[in-house]
Amino acid sequence: MIPVREAKLQSLETRGLVLDCGAGVTCRVSMLGPALARVTYLRDGRVAAPRTWMVPALDAADTPWNGRDRLDDSSWPFCRVSVEERNGAWIVETDGLVLTIALKPFSMTWALPDGRVFARERPAHATSFGAKGLRHAFARNASDRFYGLGDKTGKLDLHGRRLRMAMKDSLGFDPESGDPLYKHWPFLIVRDGESGVASGLFYDNLHPATFDLGCEHDNYYGLYRSFEAEGGDLDYYLFPGPAIRDVTRAFVSLTGRPALPPRWTLGFAQTAMALADSADAQARMLEFIGACARADVPVSAFHFGSGYTSIGRRRYVFHWNREKYPEPRALMRAFHDAGMRVVANLKPCLLDDHPRYEEAKAQGAFVADATGAPAISQFWDGEGAHIDFTNPAGVAWWQAGLRDNVLGFGIDVGWNDNNEYAFDNDDATCCGFGTPTPLDAMRPLQPLLMTRASVEEQKLRAPGERVFSITRAGCPGIQRYAQTWSGDNSTSWRSLKWNLRTGLQMSLSGMFNIGHDVGGFSGPVPDAELLIRWTQAGLLHPRFVMNSWKPNGVYTSPWLHPEATAAVREAIRLRYRLTPYLYALMHAAALGEAPLRPTFVDFPDDARCFEDCDELMFGPSLLAAPVVEPGQRTRPLYLPRGPSDWFNFCSGERLAPGVETGIAAPLDRLPLVAPAGAIVVMTDAGDDYARKTEEPSRSLRIFPGLGSGESQFTLVEDDGRSAQGVFTRVRITLAWNPANVRLRVEADGDFDLPYRHIRVVAAKADGRSLRLESAKDAPALTL
């Protein structure tokens, strides 16, 4: 590669400036907002990838199918930008950023207006270009912390690791060190160790890439970190928080707000390859419906594994095996009659003996090789070709198959699986919407557009309703359409422990609707204790699904171990009782607030929270401490400084902040604590779970502190499914002082609330009076 050594001013622009870096390279610096900068390098006046799919226009719900003009910044309003030369450097300043550009050697330094420097490019040779890619390097402090990059394993702080952006089908990955997994997510959060300022760095580049966060060392450059891509453009967005939660919010604002899911998706779901693969699959699935009733376990959805498409051992998308499923429409009705939605697994590769292979080939629906023939790759039990979602013909073929052979059979949702497009074929070429493009330059785009194609077809089937979909692979933008998960994990206590961190890393990265295969997908059958603890951890995640593939045909279920069924059932029921709280968190997630987050997001001033731990915040009102070690019945737990008090959610016991304590963790209980001021909205139906996520009753658990304070929580009520439906916000205010506690509820909106009162359950009152107030048209508060 050839480094950029120096630069000179080429032109001043309204948003910033353009620099001539020599050898045909220009650098355009544009301020898209007071705290949003974009740096784009052009070579010979052009970008390598003229379109972007990861960054929609400002306030746009999506990009056009063929992408958005990468260089068009016109949707961002102009902000105040000052550009001036000072002491041989150019200073670009807004109300939220100060960028200093040294010209020789060429390097950029980023600071807040108060002078706090939070990012510095490497002092020399920070940017390099070559025939085989590009490189960009920043200076690094030993005390910096790094987060994000999507579905990364191991400790949350990624400092010292070298991590790849290359989607793989990672069955049985090591939960602590495995890399790469399923996502291409070139978004890094940096918490500068000197200033404490957090910032986001997002590279709009779809090529395979590597982030070196402290592995590499070169004597001539000091400490540094780098991004290296195998092609494409050096086109990045940089934005300070200055807090970590602000960085995540800014990222989802840039790449697209998460889709608001229908409420039923927050219920417990079950799937198992063994059921779908069995010779008498339809009969066994009917038995499963009966087993749910016998075990008294509420289940909201069943996810069909791909066995419904099989011919022999091989899988054929959009094909029904009528020997195993003689009456599939009747089976779907049975699931619906039992109150379960149905989700079906979809795979984008057609094996070369697929009954419709020649039809798709004739329509030009496949990723092609150098001759124009389908690009052949290994896939499951054979070879085949992948649908090209950058080709309108491929999209049309896919949507017709989904419409006629999946949705038309009564299935509700498409589950976009095995869509990493991870085959190695240097001459594989995408249509690129009329501009033939190497697959390497568009690989992460394929699962993004596959999911979009599925979502748009589902919208046509149920106009006016929120669409729910699932994808395993993808790049920034998938959150606009779908739920995702950490992929094919394995059954072990290690997976339980480290998957929790991978989920939090995904949340920091802007993937909020996430989860893990409860109990582990591959590997041995979980024992009773592990199944209980995994279910307890799983209930915290928006995606709450038991999914498994075990060689002996056993599948993980709530009744797998009779001695564990009661505790597993209680964990699942707790999830349903918490549905109103979680549903409010998902409404907030659609605006950029992660439901799950590390404790340091909520308590950034407590240095102890940045240490590696097994705890997480479940919204603002609950700190969860899942048990991740066998035999543990008392859980060590550090209670962050910040709240005046903490409370054991189960017993109401008051706990001191800033200390490590031991909290009771009997086998049938998920340890939960609540900070002073916590308001937790739950259902109030006792042992009746027939309504599942649609249970209309409401209760409040409140936790006033010892001193004085005030807190609020907003409950969102609607029909749970309409895309543009009416809703009512129920605002709950808790105020307390040493003498009394006051709880007030107000309601504002057009949705008719299905309840007239809310029952209040207070933590220890400590002798204080409790005053309940309800505004006009708000539900009455009762004890």
Side-chain angles (χ1 to χ4, degrees):
M1 292 189 186
I2 300 174
V4 175
R5 294 182 171 84
E6 57 186 79
K8 62 183 178 181
L9 180 68
Q10 177 172 300
S11 63
L12 297 178
E13 297 193 340
T14 307
R15 295 185 185 274
L17 49 74
V18 177
L19 298 166
D20 180 354
C21 300
V25 175
T26 55
C27 172
R28 188 179 76 165
V29 177
S30 301
M31 297 297 183
L32 303 186
L36 176 59
R38 182 184 182 190
V39 178
T40 308
Y41 286 83
L42 294 84
R43 285 181 272 181
D44 298 322
R46 298 186 302 272
V47 287
R51 316 290 289 181
T52 178
W53 287 263
M54 292 192 284
V55 181
L58 183 66
D59 295 330
D62 212 336
T63 68
W65 260 94
N66 66 339
R68 181 180 67 80
D69 180 354
R70 176 182 293 274
L71 296 178
D72 181 7
D73 291 339
S74 60
S75 66
W76 279 268
F78 289 101
C79 64
R80 185 194 71 81
V81 180
S82 168
V83 182
E84 64 174 318
E85 187 177 15
R86 194 183 306 161
N87 298 324
W90 284 96
I91 313 298
V92 184
E93 185 172 0
T94 69
D95 293 336
L97 274 174
V98 180
L99 167 60
T100 301
I101 306 173
L103 299 179
K104 186 176 182 180
F106 178 58
S107 181
M108 299 186 188
T109 300
W110 306 82
L112 297 181
D114 62 11
R116 284 182 291 169
V117 173
F118 62 86
R120 302 178 181 88
E121 286 187 329
R122 200 167 68 179
H125 302 171
T127 306
S128 301
F129 297 98
K132 296 184 178 180
L134 56 91
R135 195 171 198 221
H136 187 213
F138 278 81
R140 172 174 60 87
N141 299 309
S143 55
D144 289 348
R145 295 181 180 273
F146 303 123
Y147 307 102
L149 300 187
D151 53 349
K152 296 307 179 186
T153 58
K155 294 181 179 180
L156 286 178
D157 184 2
L158 301 173
H159 199 139
R161 296 186 65 185
R162 184 175 174 87
L163 299 157
R164 294 182 63 210
M165 299 290 112
M167 303 182 306
K168 298 294 181 182
D169 185 339
S170 304
L171 171 67
F173 60 89
D174 187 295
E176 184 178 2
S177 62
D179 180 69
L181 299 188
Y182 304 89
K183 312 293 190 296
H184 174 95
W185 214 266
F187 165 56
L188 181 69
I189 299 174
V190 181
R191 187 176 188 269
D192 181 68
E194 294 185 354
S195 68
V197 174
S199 61
L201 178 62
F202 170 56
Y203 292 95
D204 190 347
N205 187 310
L206 293 170
H207 280 259
T210 299
F211 282 83
D212 189 302
L213 302 177
C215 276
E216 184 176 293
H217 180 75
D218 188 317
N219 179 57
Y220 296 106
Y221 298 112
L223 299 181
Y224 60 89
R225 55 182 166 90
S226 65
F227 166 80
E228 189 167 345
E230 295 178 12
D233 297 292
L234 182 52
D235 182 13
Y236 66 90
Y237 297 80
L238 191 146
F239 38 96
I244 290 174
R245 75 187 321 146
D246 302 321
V247 175
T248 300
R249 285 174 182 159
F251 177 70
V252 297
S253 179
L254 180 68
T255 59
R257 301 287 187 190
L260 176 66
R263 186 163 50 219
W264 67 263
T265 67
L266 301 182
F268 173 71
Q270 176 76 50
T271 183
M273 283 184 64
L275 286 178
D277 286 353
S278 58
D280 56 346
Q282 183 157 338
R284 290 196 65 189
M285 288 183 181
L286 291 172
E287 291 175 1
F288 168 81
I289 294 172
C292 295
R294 290 191 298 275
D296 198 17
V297 172
V299 181
S300 291
F302 185 85
H303 294 214
F304 270 71
S306 58
Y308 74 98
T309 70
S310 66
I311 301 175
R313 292 176 54 85
R314 291 151 70 98
R315 319 283 162 150
Y316 300 86
V317 66
F318 302 145
H319 168 79
W320 277 93
N321 183 320
R322 299 306 283 267
E323 293 181 357
K324 297 195 300 184
Y325 298 88
E327 298 180 86
R329 290 181 177 85
L331 179 58
M332 302 315 135
R333 287 194 295 272
F335 275 113
H336 289 152
D337 290 345
M340 297 185 212
R341 302 290 183 120
V342 184
V343 178
N345 187 281
L346 309 171
K347 303 186 188 302
C349 184
L350 275 64
L351 295 176
D352 54 13
D353 62 345
H354 191 292
R356 298 181 62 189
Y357 183 89
E358 292 301 326
E359 170 195 309
K361 177 181 175 181
Q363 294 180 23
F366 293 126
V367 175
D369 64 17
T371 70
I376 301 300
S377 65
Q378 182 68 32
F379 190 80
W380 280 54
D381 297 307
E383 290 187 331
H386 284 70
I387 298 297
D388 182 1
F389 290 94
T390 73
N391 186 342
V395 174
W397 187 90
W398 179 265
Q399 291 182 322
L402 179 62
R403 177 174 62 249
D404 298 338
N405 298 293
V406 178
L407 304 179
F409 279 71
I411 288 170
D412 300 286
V413 171
W415 164 14
N416 304 280
D417 197 16
N418 294 100
N419 52 353
E420 291 76 29
Y421 284 67
F423 59 94
D424 294 320
N425 188 334
D426 287 345
D427 64 359
T429 302
C430 304
C431 168
F433 299 99
T435 304
T437 306
L439 175 63
D440 262 356
M442 287 190 155
R443 196 184 310 271
L445 182 60
Q446 293 288 352
L448 179 78
L449 295 181
M450 175 190 180
T451 308
R452 179 173 181 170
S454 300
V455 163
E456 292 191 358
E457 189 59 40
Q458 288 175 214
K459 283 183 180 178
L460 294 176
R461 181 172 181 258
E465 292 198 4
R466 284 176 228 160
V467 179
F468 174 69
S469 190
I470 305 165
T471 184
R472 190 170 75 177
C475 59
I478 59 169
Q479 75 277 2
R480 305 193 293 255
Y481 315 122
Q483 179 186 84
T484 189
W485 82 109
S486 57
D488 293 340
N489 59 358
S490 56
T491 297
S492 68
W493 285 93
R494 287 183 71 240
S495 288
L496 171 57
K497 176 184 180 70
W498 294 105
N499 283 177
L500 286 171
R501 290 160 176 77
T502 296
L504 292 175
Q505 203 75 271
M506 293 165 72
S507 288
L508 290 169
S509 301
M511 289 175 270
F512 298 156
N513 193 346
I514 55 139
H516 315 283
D517 284 346
V518 171
F521 178 75
S522 65
V525 175
D527 63 32
E529 182 182 11
L530 179 56
L531 179 60
I532 291 168
R533 293 308 195 190
W534 211 317
T535 307
Q536 291 169 349
L539 76 86
L540 301 165
H541 296 73
R543 176 178 171 85
F544 186 26
V545 181
M546 276 188 185
N547 181 26
S548 60
W549 171 73
K550 307 300 179 186
N552 59 4
V554 173
Y555 69 92
T556 304
S557 68
W559 47 87
L560 175 63
H561 300 292
E563 68 273 26
T565 300
V568 171
R569 180 194 301 118
E570 174 55 28
I572 293 170
R573 288 181 169 187
L574 175 59
R575 167 57 168 258
Y576 281 100
R577 292 197 298 274
L578 286 167
T579 295
Y581 177 71
L582 178 56
Y583 190 55
L585 300 185
M586 297 312 291
H587 271 272
L591 300 175
E593 182 75 8
L596 302 179
R597 44 197 187 254
T599 55
F600 60 69
V601 171
D602 288 57
F603 308 104
D605 295 329
D606 188 339
R608 177 77 181 269
C609 290
F610 286 92
E611 297 178 7
D612 189 62
C613 69
D614 300 309
E615 294 91 64
L616 66 154
M617 293 301 299
F618 179 44
S621 298
L622 290 171
L623 189 159
V627 174
V628 296
E629 296 180 9
Q632 194 172 67
R633 298 297 181 265
T634 299
R635 170 67 154 79
L637 174 62
Y638 174 73
L639 298 169
R641 294 192 301 272
S644 61
D645 313 271
W646 287 90
F647 299 86
N648 185 312
F649 183 76
C650 180
S651 67
E653 176 190 2
R654 193 180 302 275
L655 305 167
V659 299
E660 186 166 308
T661 187
I663 187 170
L667 189 56
D668 62 351
R669 184 185 306 167
L670 168 68
L672 294 169
V673 294
I679 301 168
V680 183
V681 189
M682 306 178 72
T683 61
D684 195 33
D687 290 333
D688 182 7
Y689 293 88
R691 299 287 296 273
K692 300 178 183 173
T693 59
E694 306 312 302
E695 168 56 48
S697 63
R698 298 290 182 263
S699 67
L700 287 181
R701 293 287 304 276
I702 60 171
F703 299 86
L706 267 183
S708 298
E710 183 173 300
S711 61
Q712 290 186 332
F713 187 81
T714 299
L715 182 64
V716 182
E717 302 286 13
D718 55 26
D719 66 8
R721 62 180 185 277
S722 296
Q724 302 296 331
V726 296
F727 62 89
T728 291
R729 297 188 185 277
V730 180
R731 288 183 294 275
I732 304 159
T733 302
L734 174 65
W736 65 93
N737 60 43
N740 58 65
V741 176
R742 180 173 64 88
L743 187 66
R744 178 175 175 81
V745 62
E746 301 167 280
D748 178 31
D750 300 320
F751 180 73
D752 292 332
L753 297 176
Y755 50 87
R756 296 182 179 276
H757 69 273
I758 300 175
R759 189 170 66 91
V760 179
V761 183
K764 292 182 178 180
D766 299 307
R768 292 176 290 184
S769 64
L770 175 61
R771 190 171 75 195
L772 305 179
E773 302 175 358
S774 293
K776 183 181 179 182
D777 300 327
L781 294 173
T782 63
L783 291 172

